[in-house]
Amino acid sequence: MSTPPGAPPAPPRVPEAVHRRRWAILAVLMFSVLIVVLDHSVLNVAVKTIATPAPVGLGATQGELEWAINSYTLVFAALLFTAGLIGDRTGRRKALLFGMAVFGAGSALAAFSASSSELIAYRAVMGVGAAFVIPATLAILMNVFERDEQAKAIGIWAGGVGVSIALGPLTGGLLLEHFWWGSIFLVNVPVVLIGFIAMVVLIPDSRDPAPGRLDPVGVLLSIVGLVLLVYGIIRGGELASLTDQAVLVPLLGGLGVLTVFVIYEVRSDHPALDFSYFRNPVFSSAIAATALGFFAMMGVAFLSVFYLQSVRGYSPLAAGLLLLPLAVAQSAFAPRARLAIGRFGAKATCTAGMLMITTGLAAFAFFDGSTPLWLIEAAFFVQGAGMAHVMPPVTVAVMQALPREKAGVGSAISNTFRQVGGALGVAMLGSLLSAAYRGGIESTLARTAGLPDGVRAAAGESIEATMGAAAKLGPAGKLLVGPANEAFLFAMHLTALAAAMATVVGAAVVAMHLPGRVKPGPGDALSPGEPDGRPAAGAVRG
């Protein structure tokens, strides 16, 4: 609510001591987000190295690599709401410090993992820490900036996220060029220590005077259901079968547990995930676009590393540099997407963005071992530009679809489904890649002399496993290289088309349900910079 004419200006709700150091606090918050977001992309360039047999890597199978990514993502997504509520109750600074400490400890342990199983477990620990960091940073930001500066601060924060995405592949490539694979995790530790000290010195504590109730049953059901479902999907890709008992039992079990989760949440008076919001088609379509976009792009990002390093022969550093156009385009266009939204509306902007992602993904269906680099770079750039025009309109749609006091809930739901969509993308598209690759290479492996049955079965799981088996055969193994590349390219083409189909569905959904150029109504979320008369979300203590 605006101040009436002639009335004295509203008193500041942020203490002067906190207000003076607000930009330093923002820098520290961005510092903490940097490592959490960077960890999503830094692992991508290292998957080939980790798949390499010891002593270079861990000899991880494709399924284990998918779990190394997804254990972090699933735990992060499942705990996001609960971690936010705990921060509201106990204090956001305490939650942030706890999250940073857990993330740093998990990073140190992951760096020295002796097996794929250990790496997966420690990545899950890192996911616990990340779940406490992200909601705390945004809540603190909203409490240290006055209303008229919040939009600017959030824009800078979002820009930092884009920079983190861009730095991930480059950082990973540089570290792998000079150190062992564990360095991509160990580098987090000094960053955490510096950030921890700065947070203690600069960041004030705050809490919600009326926090929501925790829902541990709902959180547990969601974690168990998602883990079982993803395990079944990944196992199906490894075995190239969806009818094997080892695949059906976890698949059906996961679907059953998730069904119980939905029923429980619908009946709960304090759900971890309030499904009543999904009755609004605008909200549902925006969330669906977020999930489908990350589903497709995370899956293709996973396979693109093997294409660039295993098929094209680029080093991790070169592969990281080749991935930069995606992140650079996203960072450059995202802050300007509001101009397109203002001129064309959320529906047209988001639909065009989804179709740009589709184009960039579908291009991979035509790449081979000699495709010019500029075409690959163009495909990555188009994907990044497309995503930059998807995330702002869907975020606006989510915020405008809910009452303004539920804006934080809408943001948390969007973030949760983005993480789950990415995890399912790695699992489902990675499994499709694995199954298609096995189908293309099995006949060649069956004709290859000197391969024991156990080695032959393992060699069919991924192109890196085949190359590892070829190396052990010596000169005779060179005959496997050509067929392995051909099998991978066929699998990549099929997987890229599947990913593109997912974003076509997303484009259709937003074209049908997202609004055009609609101004927020009285009950909508605040537009950037709009003042209101609400009290602060929580008491701030300098």
Side-chain angles (χ1 to χ4, degrees):
M1 182 181 300
S2 301
T3 304
R13 66 182 182 88
V14 179
E16 179 60 27
V18 174
H19 181 73
R20 283 198 303 268
R21 62 178 191 264
R22 65 195 184 282
W23 297 110
I25 291 171
L26 176 60
V28 173
L29 294 177
M30 290 176 63
F31 197 65
S32 64
V33 170
L34 169 69
I35 57 168
V36 172
V37 176
L38 186 144
D39 204 73
H40 278 287
S41 54
V42 73
L43 182 59
N44 284 337
V45 296
V47 290
K48 178 184 179 295
T49 305
I50 296 173
T52 305
V56 175
L58 294 175
T61 66
Q62 185 151 315
E64 289 169 340
L65 291 173
E66 292 170 32
W67 271 117
I69 296 172
N70 283 342
S71 62
Y72 176 86
T73 305
L74 288 175
V75 172
F76 183 12
L79 291 180
L80 200 59
F81 273 97
T82 299
L85 287 173
I86 291 174
D88 289 343
R89 285 173 172 271
T90 63
R92 280 85 178 238
R93 183 175 68 174
K94 295 184 183 70
L96 180 59
L97 292 173
F98 173 79
M100 289 289 283
V102 172
F103 187 88
S107 298
L109 292 168
F112 297 101
S113 298
S115 66
S116 299
S117 299
E118 287 187 15
L119 177 61
I120 292 167
Y122 296 141
R123 287 276 294 168
V125 173
M126 293 169 67
V128 174
F132 279 85
V133 169
I134 293 296
T137 59
L138 280 173
I140 291 169
L141 184 153
M142 297 297 287
N143 277 276
V144 300
F145 282 89
E146 297 288 358
R147 182 69 57 188
D148 59 349
E149 287 186 323
Q150 286 178 357
K152 181 179 180 181
I154 291 173
I156 295 172
W157 182 91
V161 171
V163 171
S164 303
I165 295 171
L167 287 175
L170 181 59
T171 303
L174 283 170
L175 289 169
L176 292 173
E177 192 84 1
H178 300 286
F179 306 103
W180 95 114
W181 64 266
S183 63
I184 66 170
F185 301 115
L186 194 62
V187 72
N188 293 337
V189 177
V191 178
V192 166
L193 290 174
I194 295 170
F196 197 94
I197 295 170
M199 288 169 195
V200 171
V201 173
L202 290 172
I203 294 179
D205 205 359
S206 66
R207 65 182 70 197
D208 190 335
R213 293 170 60 191
L214 301 179
D215 180 20
V217 175
V219 171
L220 181 62
L221 287 172
S222 66
I223 292 176
V224 171
L226 285 170
V227 168
L228 286 174
L229 179 64
V230 170
Y231 176 84
I233 293 169
I234 293 175
R235 189 64 177 147
E238 290 174 339
L239 300 177
S241 170
L242 292 177
T243 58
D244 191 284
Q245 184 176 356
V247 177
L248 277 178
V249 170
L251 267 180
L252 296 178
L255 291 172
V257 174
L258 289 175
T259 300
V260 173
F261 166 70
V262 173
I263 295 172
Y264 178 84
E265 295 297 279
V266 168
R267 294 180 177 179
S268 174
D269 59 355
H270 57 286
L273 179 58
D274 193 341
F275 283 92
S276 65
Y277 299 136
F278 291 90
R279 295 171 188 162
N280 184 324
V282 173
F283 181 88
S284 297
S285 62
I287 295 297
T290 299
L292 288 169
F294 274 83
F295 172 93
M297 290 192 65
M298 286 292 289
V300 172
F302 180 77
L303 69 85
S304 67
V305 173
F306 288 101
Y307 169 65
L308 293 173
Q309 295 187 38
S310 298
V311 177
R312 301 301 298 266
Y314 291 106
S315 68
L317 176 57
L321 289 170
L322 290 172
L323 289 170
L324 276 180
L326 189 153
V328 169
Q330 191 170 345
S331 301
F333 287 108
R336 296 168 177 82
R338 59 183 176 80
L339 302 176
I341 298 171
R343 182 170 182 179
F344 302 108
K347 177 185 292 189
T349 302
C350 190
T351 302
M354 292 297 288
L355 293 177
M356 289 175 71
I357 296 173
T358 300
T359 302
L361 296 175
F364 275 80
F366 302 95
F367 292 167
D368 57 27
S370 59
T371 299
L373 276 182
W374 71 268
L375 285 176
I376 299 172
E377 298 297 87
F380 283 133
F381 187 86
V382 170
Q383 288 178 47
M387 185 58 79
H389 288 87
V390 168
M391 293 311 298
V394 297
T395 302
V396 169
V398 167
M399 297 307 181
Q400 292 184 355
L402 298 178
R404 63 174 61 181
E405 65 270 14
K406 297 296 183 182
V409 173
S411 177
I413 293 175
S414 179
N415 202 4
T416 297
F417 275 82
R418 185 176 72 216
Q419 300 296 333
V420 171
L424 290 177
V426 172
M428 296 179 71
L429 296 176
S431 293
L432 176 60
L433 180 76
S434 180
Y437 178 79
R438 182 182 287 278
I441 198 65
E442 266 188 334
S443 60
T444 301
L445 292 173
R447 297 193 303 268
T448 302
L451 280 179
D453 289 341
V455 175
R456 182 177 288 111
E461 290 185 359
S462 67
I463 186 172
E464 268 312 300
T466 304
M467 295 302 188
K472 292 178 181 178
L473 287 176
K478 293 181 180 180
L479 297 176
L480 286 175
V481 175
N485 286 339
E486 291 177 10
F488 179 84
L489 288 172
F490 169 77
M492 183 182 80
H493 296 164
L494 184 64
T495 306
L497 290 175
M501 287 299 297
T503 52
V504 167
V505 172
V509 169
V510 296
M512 288 189 291
H513 297 296
L514 278 195
R517 285 179 287 180
V518 179
K519 293 183 179 180
D524 292 331
L526 285 171
S527 57
E530 178 188 351
D532 76 352
R534 288 183 295 152
V540 182
R541 296 187 297 278

